[in-house]
Structures are given as structure tokens and as C-alpha cells.
């Protein structure tokens, strides 16, 4: 009887040890973002401003001192009125999709090549063309489909449409609820399309040098992937058996405690 009890106790302790090993804790060094080091932070947003790409959807609005002269360039101006809410007005503003040749087709101006330009560069180009028709024209351009996706070990994975093209990887992770305790912070992947080719780039969020990375500021359609740490991978190997092992171990320990009193 004593040998059976010893065997049962050994098995219970063995199972408990296995569970502890599979759920080992991470160190502070692997968890804290942007830890102090000797890196000199010199990131300038102007170096990495997103460029307009094929299939981008742009809102283009023309303004002038006399609103009447902008009517041919703003298709919705004939139905707009002072009673419109701001949201309704934004929804009715004209949008243009960048075609496969990198052009948008604007009223009066026709095809205008904007692919490869920043938003500010596109504004200046269109404004220059409009000066043939309007004195001191104003132009406002916004991305309608500036989207990033965050996948993997984050609290709320998903795709996010952003009101501005100025967004960092940390801000995108914040919108996704931040990394879970199981996410690997030293090896976050940013998938980006450059000239029709997908590129995969790694960021170490625990180092300040990440602030100097060309992938710290995101471009439209970037995908951020956070991989699980080893403890999460190990626990997934146990799968549904984890609860069973815990229950059996607890039962064995309880029975042994009762029988050895």
C-alpha cells in the first residue's frame, strides 16, 4: 500500500512539475518596451511619409475664396447645403481610386498621376494644375482606406481604418489592445508591400533602436504580426489535456493526503 501511495504521489508531483515547466514566467528584459540604452533617437516622420499606391482611395476637395468657382471640381457641391452635418458632408465628398497606371481622374483636369507621391506632394501637384482655372485654389486630400491589420498575440486582433496616415507601430498595437503577456516583443513582424513585392521586417520593441527603424512609422495596408512565446507554444502542445492533467494531479494528491493521515 505504501509503495502505491508513493507511486501516486510521485506521479502527481511529476505532473505538477510538467505544468510548471510549461508555464514558465518571462523576464522583465523581455517584457518592457524601449528599454534605456545608448541609442540616439533621430527618427523623422518626413523620412518615412507613406506614398500613394495603386488602389488607394483618395478624397479630393477643392476650395477657393468664391465657392461657386469650385463647383465643377467638387461633384457634390450642387447638393450640399448648410443643414448637412459634418459626418454627412464628409461622406458625400468626392473620392477617387488610383488606377493601375497610378492615375486618378479628376473633373476638368482629367487623368492626374499621383502614385508614388506623398499626400502633400499630390496636393501641390493638383493645386498647380488648378491655377489654370482658379485663382489661389486650395486642395485637401485624405486617404479613405488607410488601413493596417494587427494579428497574433494581441488583445483585440483585427483591421483598423485610420483617419490619418501618420501612425506608428506602437499606436497600431495600442488600438489592438496591446500585446498579451504571451506575445514576443523582441520579434514583431511588419509585412509591407513595396513596388508590388511583399517584404517581411522584424522589430524589437524592447530596444530604443526600434524608434529609428523605417518600419516604425506604418504605411497603408501594413500587417503587424506578433508571434507567441515559447510558453504559449508549449501550452498549446498540451492542448485540451492540460485540464485533465491538472484534475488528475489534484485528485491524486487529495486521495494520498486522506489515506496517509
Amino acid at each position: 500500500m505504501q509503495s502505491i501511495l508513493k507511486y501516486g504521489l510521485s506521479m502527481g508531483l511529476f505532473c505538477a512539475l510538467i505544468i510548471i515547466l510549461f508555464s514558465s514566467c518571462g523576464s522583465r528584459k523581455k517584457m518592457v518596451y524601449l528599454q534605456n540604452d545608448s541609442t540616439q533617437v533621430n527618427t523623422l516622420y518626413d523620412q518615412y511619409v507613406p506614398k500613394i499606391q495603386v488602389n488607394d482611395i483618395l478624397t479630393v476637395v477643392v476650395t477657393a475664396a468664391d465657392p461657386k468657382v469650385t463647383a465643377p471640381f467638387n461633384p457634390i457641391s450642387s447638393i450640399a447645403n448648410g443643414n448637412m452635418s459634418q459626418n454627412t458632408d464628409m461622406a458625400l465628398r468626392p473620392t477617387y481610386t488610383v488606377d493601375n497606371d497610378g492615375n486618378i481622374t479628376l473633373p476638368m483636369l482629367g487623368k492626374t498621376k499621383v502614385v508614388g507621391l506623398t499626400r502633400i506632394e499630390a496636393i501641390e501637384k493638383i493645386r498647380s494644375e488648378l491655377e489654370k482655372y482658379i485663382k489661389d485654389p486650395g486642395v485637401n486630400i485624405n486617404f479613405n482606406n488607410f488601413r493596417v491589420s494587427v494579428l497574433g498575440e494581441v488583445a483585440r486582433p483585427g483591421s483598423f481604418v485610420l483617419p490619418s496616415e501618420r501612425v506608428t507601430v506602437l499606436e497600431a498595437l495600442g488600438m489592438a489592445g496591446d500585446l498579451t503577456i504571451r506575445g514576443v516583443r523582441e520579434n514583431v513582424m511588419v509585412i509591407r508591400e513595396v513596388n508590388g513585392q511583399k517584404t517581411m521586417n522584424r522589430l524589437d520593441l524592447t530596444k530604443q533602436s526600434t524608434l529609428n527603424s523605417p518600419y516604425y512609422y506604418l504605411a497603408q495596408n501594413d500587417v503587424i504580426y506578433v508571434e507567441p512565446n515559447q510558453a504559449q507554444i508549449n501550452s498549446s502542445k498540451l492542448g485540451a489535456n492540460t485540464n485533465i492533467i491538472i484534475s488528475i494531479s489534484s485528485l491524486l494528491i487529495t486521495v494520498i493526503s486522506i489515506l496517509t493521515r
Side-chain angles (χ1 to χ4, degrees), residues 13 15 28 45-46 51 58 62 81 85 87 89 94 108 132 135 143 161 170 175 194 202 206 214-215 232 234 241:
L13 293 175
C15 292
R28 180 184 183 279
Y45 174 69
D46 291 345
K51 305 293 180 67
L58 306 176
V62 179
N81 59 69
S85 69
N87 288 339
D89 181 55
M108 302 292 290
K132 301 173 185 177
K135 182 179 179 180
F143 289 93
V161 178
L170 292 178
M175 288 184 288
V194 179
R202 306 279 180 168
T206 67
Y215 301 97
Q232 176 69 358
N234 290 342
N241 293 329

Side-chain angles (χ1 to χ4, degrees), residues 193-240:
E193 184 172 317
V194 179
N195 297 324
Q197 298 292 323
K198 296 289 186 183
T199 64
M200 292 183 290
N201 314 277
R202 306 279 180 168
L203 297 177
D204 185 347
L205 299 184
T206 67
K207 293 183 177 179
Q208 286 187 357
S209 58
T210 292
L211 298 175
N212 293 331
S213 169
Y215 301 97
Y216 176 67
Y217 286 103
L218 299 178
Q220 61 271 50
N221 304 314
D222 276 0
V223 177
I224 301 170
Y225 172 68
V226 180
E227 66 181 59
N229 61 18
Q230 193 60 45
Q232 176 69 358
I233 294 173
N234 290 342
S235 65
S236 68
K237 293 177 183 178
L238 293 175

Side-chain angles (χ1 to χ4, degrees), residues 51-53 55-61 93-99 102-104 106 112-115 117-119 122-123 126 140-146 220:
K51 305 293 180 67
I52 296 172
Q53 302 176 3
N55 294 325
D56 277 348
I57 301 173
L58 306 176
T59 297
V60 182
V61 177
R93 290 183 179 184
T95 59
Y96 306 90
T97 301
V98 182
D99 64 25
N103 300 312
I104 55 176
L106 298 169
T112 303
K113 198 172 192 69
V114 294
V115 74
L117 301 179
T118 66
R119 187 177 67 87
I123 286 174
I126 294 172
N140 187 31
I141 297 178
N142 287 306
F143 289 93
N144 261 35
N145 65 331
F146 197 98
Q220 61 271 50

Side-chain angles (χ1 to χ4, degrees), residues 16 32 54 67 74 80 89 95 118-119 125 130 135 146-147 182 184-186 199 204 218 222-223 231 242 245 247 256:
V32 177
V54 170
N74 295 324
D89 181 55
T95 59
T118 66
R119 187 177 67 87
K125 180 174 184 177
L130 284 170
K135 182 179 179 180
F146 197 98
R147 181 191 307 270
R182 301 175 296 275
V184 177
R185 286 149 174 79
E186 309 102 300
T199 64
D204 185 347
L218 299 178
D222 276 0
V223 177
T242 303
I245 293 172
S247 299
I256 291 169

Side-chain angles (χ1 to χ4, degrees), residues 166-187:
R166 181 167 181 157
V167 60
T168 69
V169 64
L170 292 178
E171 289 169 331
L173 290 170
M175 288 184 288
D178 201 4
L179 281 71
T180 68
I181 198 72
R182 301 175 296 275
V184 177
R185 286 149 174 79
E186 309 102 300
N187 199 26

